[in-house]
Amino acid sequence: MALQLLSQKSLCRGTVGRGRRRVSCPSSGSPEMSADVETRVLVINTGGTIGMVLHDGVLSPEPNALVKTLRKLPILHDEQYAEKTKLYECFKPEDKTLVLPRSKLGKRVVYTFLEYCPLLDSSNMTPNDWTTIGKDIEKYYEQYDGFVVLHGTDTMAYTTSALSFMCENLGKPVILTGSQVPIFEMRTDGRDNLLGALLIAGQFVIPEVCLYFHHKLYRGNRVTKVDSGSFQAFASPNLPPLANAEIDININWDTVWRPSTTAKFTVYTQMNLNVGLLRLFPGITTDTIKAFLKAPMEGVILETYGSGNAPDNRADLLEEIRKATERGLIMINCTQCLRGTVTISYATGQALSKAGVVAGFDMTPEAALSKLSYVLAKQNCSTEEKKKMMSQNLRGEMVADLEGAKLSLSDSRFIQIIAKTLSIGCKEELEAIRDALMPSLACAAAKNGNIETLEAIREMGTNLNKADYDDRTPLHIAACEDHLNVVDYLLGKGATVFAKDRFGDTPLRNAIHLRHKEVVELLRNRGAHLSQDELQDTGTELCRLSASGDLEGLKIWKSAGVNMAMSGYNGKTPVEVARALGLKEVVDFLETA
Ligand code: ASP
């Protein structure tokens, strides 16, 4: 269990502000005595290779060894500074606190160890250990600027993911690290990893649970262990690193996650343990699926092929999945691929969605599993609400699909936010922005069949007849997409059927070409007809359809009110073409058309 480290009494007397020391530092390298700003980091040592020692030929964690060794390493501890500034008098117990040499940014990272007992190989860790770490972070949250957690690499990606969800409204860095080779050995990655994690946790306010390894800082819920034999053990396939520690430490601030609330930090320690990962493989039996999904299982991450596919010719398998989701089991679709996202572009992916499986987009299985465990433990939430949480981005763990973008388009604050970003205040400039953006947004909404968004755009004062850069109106787009309800909505809101795009095409012409029969009929009922320009090569097109016996194509043109006796480029009419080729059915149709 955790050691009790600091009592209020043991905080340094004479400190400035909230327990912070400001000290004169003769060892800073400056010719004058200059003040070093100290920052404080709590290092929670849970175990892992970084602190292991060989016993009888196998590595196992060695209690109380790490701090003793670090104290002798000048890059990780400045003993002279510690003595001169009476560090040990201030931070008790004295054998647990160390201080880094002065950093390039002029800071001193003072770090205190909290060592767990027993120290664990991370393969032995369970959600109870995540809870212990979370509780300790909560307990010491106000006393430290940042937290470093030393952890074995084997299950580190699970712990970082879990902590990212458990830590609600986190405002300080929590950085997990470890190593592939024990820190006591000559060639080790442990010293670099610990130093990098300490420098970042002590100097940058990155309010995330992160993983630092081999010069890179990653978002904790985006990583996976990819190599057991290299110093570059982790990858973050779907998100670039939050920071690169090269000559300088460069933080990618645009990527850093920002909580959108000002609520107080808490750690949610309940996790539902009735969750599991089920990896599909060719030939998996229904009995296996059935056994896996049965009670007490409450949530399953289904690891599927490619972009989220499962066999759609296995009614037995899909039926078991459907029955399970109907019982209230939450199933999340994550890909077996290292990189990429789950979509429903294939029938095989759509089959799962129809069976009630929720898309996990680009979440890693580690993130998806711990998120599910966290979400399922939330009390007072219905199954539907929990499913919604699973498809929402809670901590930067995934990029959800266009659904999110659709919503933001219909958000009436959208334009205001853009205006604010561009520092635009006056009404005229605001209207100019609206006029520039809205036509494209309206076309995007028409493409998605999203009437709600179109209505929001119209309410903002945008004329739905406004065209995009290709002179295409939302009605053109809806007609192409066969969105009958959107066509109907737009016509009801005054959209003109006579708008022409840059190619001279009207929505009716688009609908004829794509053979959207009902859209053609609706447009015709509202007075649409082809323009003289559009009719120019219609005779040739009708002859082509006639020659190929394409009755369906001819019928669409007829329903658009076109004269079926128009002649083609060589003066022949469609019926003459059909007769010459002996196409009786076509001849019969055209004679009565
Ligand atoms: N088995 C070790 C652990 O996960 C491996 C490591 O730390 O790299 O604790």
Side-chain angles (χ1 to χ4, degrees), residues 46-52 59 61 120-125 151-156 177-181 189 213 225 228 233-234:
T46 70
T49 298
I50 192 163
M52 286 190 188
L59 284 169
L120 292 176
D121 183 300
S122 75
S123 309
N124 289 327
M125 289 179 90
H151 195 290
T153 57
D154 288 348
T155 65
M156 201 190 289
T177 194
S179 68
Q180 295 278 57
V181 176
D189 51 338
F213 224 87
K225 184 170 176 182
S228 62
F234 290 91

Side-chain angles (χ1 to χ4, degrees), residues 105-119:
L105 300 176
K107 292 197 179 162
R108 288 281 181 175
V109 178
V110 177
Y111 59 109
T112 301
F113 267 80
L114 172 59
E115 186 166 297
Y116 285 1
C117 182
L119 288 167

